[in-house]
Amino acid sequence: MITCFIRYEIDPLKKDEFAEYARNWGQAIPRCGADLIGYFGPHEGSATTAYGVYNIESLAAYEAYRARLTADPLGRENYAFSKRERFILKEDRIFLKNVSMPHGALVKP
């Protein structure tokens, strides 16, 4: 299992548009085969940094997932929405592997 972290630089005046974009991916990404952890937008601190995070089985599974996402009607519409509204200024994608597993049990004070 690998995790894709997408770091976005967004227009601070278009946070609502980014939130709509994120909600759309919340429907399309799981339907196309990735385990979406979530999209995270600015809350406190930077008004321009956002993230999308999901798990996928492998890079080969990622390629098949991307093909399904590109063919998905909501996926196509969401890509077009981001291009038309131009709220994403920069996007960086990295794949990481969780190397701290297994985790211990959560202890609540």
Side-chain angles (χ1 to χ4, degrees), residues 38-54:
Y39 270 73
F40 303 86
H43 176 69
E44 191 71 28
S46 173
T48 61
T49 302
Y51 292 92
V53 184
Y54 60 87

Side-chain angles (χ1 to χ4, degrees), residues 10-108:
I10 63 171
D11 183 330
L13 301 176
K14 295 186 176 185
K15 290 189 285 186
D16 291 341
E17 288 85 345
F18 181 81
E20 180 180 343
Y21 173 80
R23 286 189 299 274
N24 290 338
W25 286 137
Q27 301 305 308
I29 288 173
R31 182 171 60 234
C32 291
D35 175 22
L36 181 63
I37 295 169
Y39 270 73
F40 303 86
H43 176 69
E44 191 71 28
S46 173
T48 61
T49 302
Y51 292 92
V53 184
Y54 60 87
N55 293 315
I56 193 99
E57 186 178 306
S58 64
L59 288 176
Y62 170 75
E63 293 301 326
Y65 152 77
R66 291 290 293 193
R68 288 188 300 272
L69 196 62
T70 301
D72 183 83
L74 182 56
R76 284 194 313 269
E77 182 180 312
N78 216 28
Y79 284 126
F81 171 59
S82 69
K83 286 181 182 180
R84 182 176 64 251
E85 298 299 322
R86 304 176 70 176
F87 50 86
I88 297 173
L89 306 176
K90 185 177 179 186
E91 179 179 333
D92 294 310
R93 188 176 315 264
I94 188 169
F95 294 91
L96 300 174
K97 181 178 176 180
N98 188 336
V99 296
S100 65
M101 298 292 277
H103 298 152
L106 174 63
V107 177
K108 294 185 179 181

